[in-house]
Amino acid sequence: MIGTNAIGTALHTQQITDIRRDEHFLLQNRFMNASASPIVDPHRQIVGVLNVSSDAYLPTTQVHGMVKVMSQAIENQLILAAYGQHFWQFVFNTSPDNLGSQWAGLLVFDFQGQIVSANRRADLLLGKPLAGITIDMVAGMSLQALMATQQDATLTFSGLTSARINAPAEPSAIAPTEITFPRDAALDTPACEPSLTDLDTGDKQMAKAVHQAMRVLNRDIPLLIHGETGVGKERFVRAFHAASHRAAFEMVAVNCAAIPSELVESELFGYVKGAFTGANPKGSMGLIRRADKGTLFLDEIGDMPLATQARLLRVLQEKRVTPLGSSESYPVDFQLVCATHQSLRDEIKNKLFREDLYYRINGLTVALPALRDRQDIARVVLSVLGEVSEAGSPVNLSDEVMQLFNAHHWPGNIRQLHNVLRVATVLAGGKTIEPQHLPDDFFWDLKGVVRIADDFDEELLEEDWQTALPKVYMALGRNVSKTAEAMSVSRNTVYKRLKQLGLWHDG
């Protein structure tokens, strides 16, 4: 706006810039030299500029180098603030003597070795951007070999370039750090809400969803989440919101399937007083305006009426909302997240969902896995158990219960698991949860999913129960539910007879 100057030119070129005396457009600035460097966040978005203006007689190269190192130091701290507590970090440079320099390469990676962020020095050292690169490609060794390296050793590797790169293999370099960055208390994630990375507990599809969501964090890219009912879509969105720059503002969740179709527009867009019969005499600002500066979560958006879809599309295009009965519009700024269990493409074919709205909300599509398909079901169970257990009263599960959980189809997904464990912890009374503590409807869902083992000899059922029961029980992996189904008796009967045979003990 004011002609050639270091700050404006650095913002335009997105590179460190030196402007000498007479290169300044304004005459009053021509007594000085200035060096400015853009500062980027962990996602490589410019968040500021560091500028040093000095008397023209000071060496330009000295100021240039100082600005360069200082801006890199700030970027390193931004990366550590975002990822230092949940990821591994790796520091490297061209010589083992300058590994402690702020000008060293820095990257952070997850437990699968996927690089999630890196400073610009790391790109320069390795000769290419690190998007989609794994740590084993950088270090030239597997993640397991890297983590097993002795702490007092110095790694030397070629990585992705022909230059010899050095890195210390000590805890501060490849272990989680305790470095934190000051932030407003209002931005802190509430203790009851998990962080986005906490949701990654070992399942590949969930890890992919978390990784992709973190990539688009604070990028103003709409998020569309697919998943069956009960898989934890709202929990995922709340973690996404809490990790964003909008965390200090409200996240407004709207279940489009739960609002009567005739009230959807008034709930979303608001209305002025007297807009319709039965309206609040004071009017309503609407849920979209409530989400201003925060996050708007439209759950089950596939159930939104077509007329409302048209109005929503206009809001998303213009970034303004007009309440019902009003001619005045209001600007809105929010992160949009939508979720559905339906195939919106099929809904488009059936003329039930607008194609133009679909491509407006479909910035990044994230698929959350059903509980029955997850590879980390044991960790999910323990996490939910920790939530439903009373404070200071941890509850354990028997191995048999965990076997039943692994065999279950879980049509209600995590929501069903939550309810099952909530009932079981109460019935167990602080003791280990056993099959008899699980609600009956859990076994109704289990019936038909459980199958007798392939090597099970059905002739055992022809013998008397004292002889058959222990054999059936052991043949079916000590699973009471399978045993009861195989012998066509109730679970209580199996428990009773196992106790008589000394094969079962309470608590």
Side-chain angles (χ1 to χ4, degrees), residues 73-74 76-82 85 178-189 245:
I74 295 173
N76 291 346
Q77 289 299 315
L78 291 175
I79 291 174
L80 294 177
Q85 294 182 342
E178 297 299 325
I179 298 177
T180 58
F181 196 77
R183 59 185 303 201
D184 192 315
L187 298 179
D188 288 339
T189 304
H245 292 165

Side-chain angles (χ1 to χ4, degrees), residues 262-340:
E262 62 272 14
L263 297 179
V264 170
E265 291 198 20
S266 60
E267 289 291 317
L268 284 176
F269 308 112
Y271 54 86
V272 296
K273 60 181 181 180
F276 54 89
T277 303
N280 188 318
K282 296 182 180 179
S284 170
M285 70 182 302
L287 296 172
I288 290 180
R289 286 176 62 194
R290 267 185 55 192
D292 187 38
K293 303 295 189 298
T295 298
L296 177 65
F297 174 42
L298 300 178
D299 196 10
E300 301 301 350
I301 192 171
D303 293 317
M304 179 179 287
L306 279 170
T308 309
Q309 293 178 30
R311 289 203 62 182
L312 175 63
L313 177 63
R314 186 172 181 179
V315 170
L316 298 180
Q317 289 173 337
E318 299 178 358
K319 296 292 185 181
R320 302 184 71 88
V321 60
T322 303
L324 298 181
S326 174
S327 59
E328 184 178 359
S329 63
Y330 299 87
V332 286
D333 171 32
F334 51 80
Q335 169 67 50
L336 177 66
V337 183
C338 300
T340 180

Side-chain angles (χ1 to χ4, degrees), residues 142-196:
S142 68
L143 176 61
Q144 292 76 13
L146 178 64
M147 305 303 284
T149 307
Q150 294 182 358
Q151 295 183 3
D152 57 353
T154 299
L155 303 175
T156 300
F157 58 95
S158 296
L160 303 177
T161 180
S162 58
R164 292 169 63 85
I165 306 296
N166 298 271
E170 53 190 27
S172 62
I174 56 173
T177 69
E178 297 299 325
I179 298 177
T180 58
F181 196 77
R183 59 185 303 201
D184 192 315
L187 298 179
D188 288 339
T189 304
C192 60
E193 297 288 354
S195 70
L196 197 55

Side-chain angles (χ1 to χ4, degrees), residues 28-66:
Q28 59 265 41
N29 289 341
R30 293 182 180 176
F31 72 94
M32 62 182 176
N33 289 330
S35 294
S37 175
I39 297 172
V40 299
D41 65 11
H43 308 291
R44 302 293 176 87
Q45 298 296 303
I46 293 181
V47 292
V49 175
L50 177 65
N51 175 79
V52 174
S53 299
S54 61
D55 185 280
Y57 296 103
L58 292 178
T60 304
T61 54
Q62 179 180 343
V63 178
H64 177 101
M66 178 172 61

Side-chain angles (χ1 to χ4, degrees), residues 469 480-481 483-497:
L469 179 60
V480 172
S481 179
T483 303
E485 183 179 359
M487 301 192 72
S488 299
V489 296
S490 69
R491 289 184 300 115
N492 288 335
T493 298
V494 173
Y495 289 128
K496 179 181 178 181
R497 291 177 176 177

